[in-house]
């Protein structure tokens, strides 16, 4: 098996009415936990790397660990740049062997976003790499992405169609109410499925058959791991994610990729805090990173079962 692009993954996901999990990776334990969970469920997977993760671990280290994960599990994996801020970062990861990149030009004007995205699409496609872009702005905080609530903007369906036509981008991340971080909703959770449906219909009518849509900021923020963090010295009050049933509905529509980062962070941190709380004399990293890795593995299996619906998608 090998590193692959998302093209075939998304085609099968759209037709099968499920989504592929895109899990952010930063270190060995997260990579192992995610891919082992996917192996158990025979599920396709996207491992994605933020600008912050590149600075923390380095593109080459992450690429080599992902290659080791492929050798261990025998599954195909797409290695993806998450929220690429500029052309230089895109070039860096393509040179390192990433198979997919996301350029986030959502903070630019519509025309500037198109121009910058088109430049990256042309460069990546020449090298066999697929491109994801973003239109609309999600609120919240994740690594270098910081958007205040009042700056969040829903994706306009007409602009989405024009954007795809003019850039040739392979998939599009849209804003329908999700947000980055652990504090996604202050009141009742709500996603604009009407916007998702309208974008899908406009793309289909224009000849973009089964066009893959992406949801960022889509962690469910599992209550048990929030509670575990808080029970063992954490202070994560009021954390609230996207309800699983909403994400499952989205994945049964045109959403072929659902990003999850916060859930992994909470599972890892809660598990480590629990070890430290119950065994204060413990200082062997394997004794607290091991349980954290196991928690991520089980978390990924649960996401595949209850949100993504991607079990046995590797058949």
């Amino acid at each position: 098996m090998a590193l692959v692009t998302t093209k075939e993954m998304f085609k099968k996901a759209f037709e099968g009415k499920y989504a592929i999990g895109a899990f952010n990776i930063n270190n060995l334990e997260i990579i192992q936990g995610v891919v082992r969970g996917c192996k158990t469920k025979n599920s396709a997977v996207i491992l994605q790397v933020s600008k912050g993760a590149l600075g923390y671990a380095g593109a080459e280290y992450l690429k080599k660990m992902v290659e080791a994960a492929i050798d261990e599990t025998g599954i195909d994996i797409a290695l993806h740049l998450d929220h690429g801020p500029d052309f230089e970062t895109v070039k860096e990861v393509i040179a390192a062997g990433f198979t997919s990149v996301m350029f986030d030009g959502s903070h630019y004007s519509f025309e500037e976003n198109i121009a910058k995205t088109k430049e990256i699409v042309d460069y990546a496609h020449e090298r066999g790499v697929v491109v994801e872009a973003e239109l609309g702005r999600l609120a919240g905080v994740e690594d270098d992405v910081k958007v205040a609530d009042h700056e969040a903007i829903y994706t306009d369906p007409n602009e989405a169609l024009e954007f795809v036509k003019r850039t040739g981008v392979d998939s599009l991340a849209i804003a329908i109410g999700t947000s980055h971080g652990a504090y996604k909703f202050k009141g009742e959770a709500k996603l604009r499925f009407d916007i998702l449906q309208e974008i899908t219909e406009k793309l289909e009518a224009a000849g973009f058959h089964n066009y893959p849509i992406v949801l960022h900021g889509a962690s469910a923020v599992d209550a048990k791991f929030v509670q575990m963090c808080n029970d063992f010295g954490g202070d994560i009050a009021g954390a609230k994610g996207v309800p699983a049933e909403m994400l499952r509905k989205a994945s049964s529509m045109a959403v072929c990729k659902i990003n999850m980062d916060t859930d992994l962070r909470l599972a890892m941190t809660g598990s480590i805090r629990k070890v430290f709380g119950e065994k204060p004399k413990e200082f062997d990293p394997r004794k607290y990173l091991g349980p954290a890795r196991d928690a991520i593995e089980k978390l990924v299996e649960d996401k595949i079962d209850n949100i993504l619906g991607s079990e046995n998608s590797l058949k």
Side-chain angles (χ1 to χ4, degrees), residues 5-291:
T5 71
T6 55
K7 277 189 176 294
E8 186 63 23
M9 285 185 184
F10 288 166
K11 180 178 183 294
K12 292 170 65 176
F14 199 111
E15 294 172 351
K17 297 187 180 301
Y18 62 83
I20 306 299
F23 300 97
N24 284 71
I25 58 172
N26 298 280
N27 61 16
L28 172 68
E29 288 76 20
I30 294 175
I31 293 171
Q32 288 180 327
V34 171
V35 299
R36 289 173 183 177
C38 291
K39 172 66 174 178
T40 297
K41 294 297 179 178
N42 197 34
S43 172
V45 65
I46 300 164
L47 298 182
Q48 56 186 28
V49 178
S50 68
K51 176 72 172 178
L54 288 174
Y56 177 77
E60 290 294 341
Y61 271 97
L62 291 167
K63 163 84 176 319
K64 295 298 185 183
M65 286 192 286
V66 171
E67 288 176 342
I70 292 170
D71 290 341
E72 177 191 274
T73 61
I75 65 176
D76 287 336
I77 294 175
L79 182 56
H80 175 76
L81 171 67
D82 185 30
H83 285 287
D86 48 48
F87 206 160
E88 289 69 30
T89 305
V90 169
K91 288 180 178 178
E92 176 191 353
V93 300
I94 290 177
F98 283 43
T99 57
S100 175
V101 296
M102 185 263 185
F103 170 66
D104 184 359
S106 61
H107 53 292
Y108 294 112
S109 69
F110 181 63
E111 288 297 330
E112 194 168 3
N113 191 0
I114 286 177
K116 289 181 177 292
T117 300
K118 179 66 165 62
E119 183 181 21
I120 284 172
V121 167
D122 290 344
Y123 181 86
H125 282 183
E126 287 176 358
R127 291 156 180 80
V129 174
V130 295
V131 181
E132 171 191 329
E134 183 167 332
L135 193 60
R137 299 198 72 192
L138 274 65
V141 177
E142 181 182 14
D143 280 1
D144 295 328
V145 181
K146 299 177 177 64
V147 179
D149 288 347
H150 69 276
E151 295 176 326
I153 304 170
Y154 288 124
T155 303
D156 179 274
N158 291 317
E159 288 189 347
L161 175 58
E162 183 179 353
F163 189 89
V164 171
K165 280 183 175 179
R166 291 174 60 187
T167 63
V169 72
D170 300 285
S171 60
L172 184 66
I174 63 172
I176 60 171
T178 57
S179 65
H180 296 292
Y183 305 90
K184 300 186 186 300
F185 300 99
K186 293 179 180 177
E188 181 183 358
K190 182 180 180 180
L191 296 185
R192 291 290 304 273
F193 290 108
D194 58 320
I195 293 176
L196 171 59
Q197 184 64 32
E198 187 176 353
I199 289 172
T200 302
E201 290 173 355
K202 286 183 178 296
L203 287 167
E204 184 71 24
F208 295 97
H209 183 59
N210 290 1
Y211 189 85
I213 299 298
V214 177
L215 279 190
H216 285 231
S219 283
V221 186
D222 300 78
K224 70 175 182 179
F225 287 118
V226 172
Q227 188 64 49
M228 188 183 294
C229 287
N230 291 336
D231 286 346
F232 292 97
D235 184 12
I236 310 175
K240 189 175 184 180
V242 185
E245 61 272 16
M246 289 187 178
L247 294 173
R248 186 68 192 100
K249 179 178 179 180
S251 65
S252 71
M253 298 171 70
V255 171
C256 295
K257 174 176 178 274
I258 294 181
N259 288 15
M260 300 181 196
D261 185 10
T262 298
D263 281 339
L264 303 183
R265 297 182 184 195
L266 289 170
M268 172 162 269
T269 301
S271 300
I272 291 172
R273 281 189 175 277
K274 185 173 186 291
V275 173
F276 286 164
E278 294 178 344
K279 301 175 182 178
K281 293 183 179 180
E282 187 58 74
F283 60 88
D284 182 346
R286 294 169 297 183
K287 297 297 177 62
Y288 53 83
L289 291 175

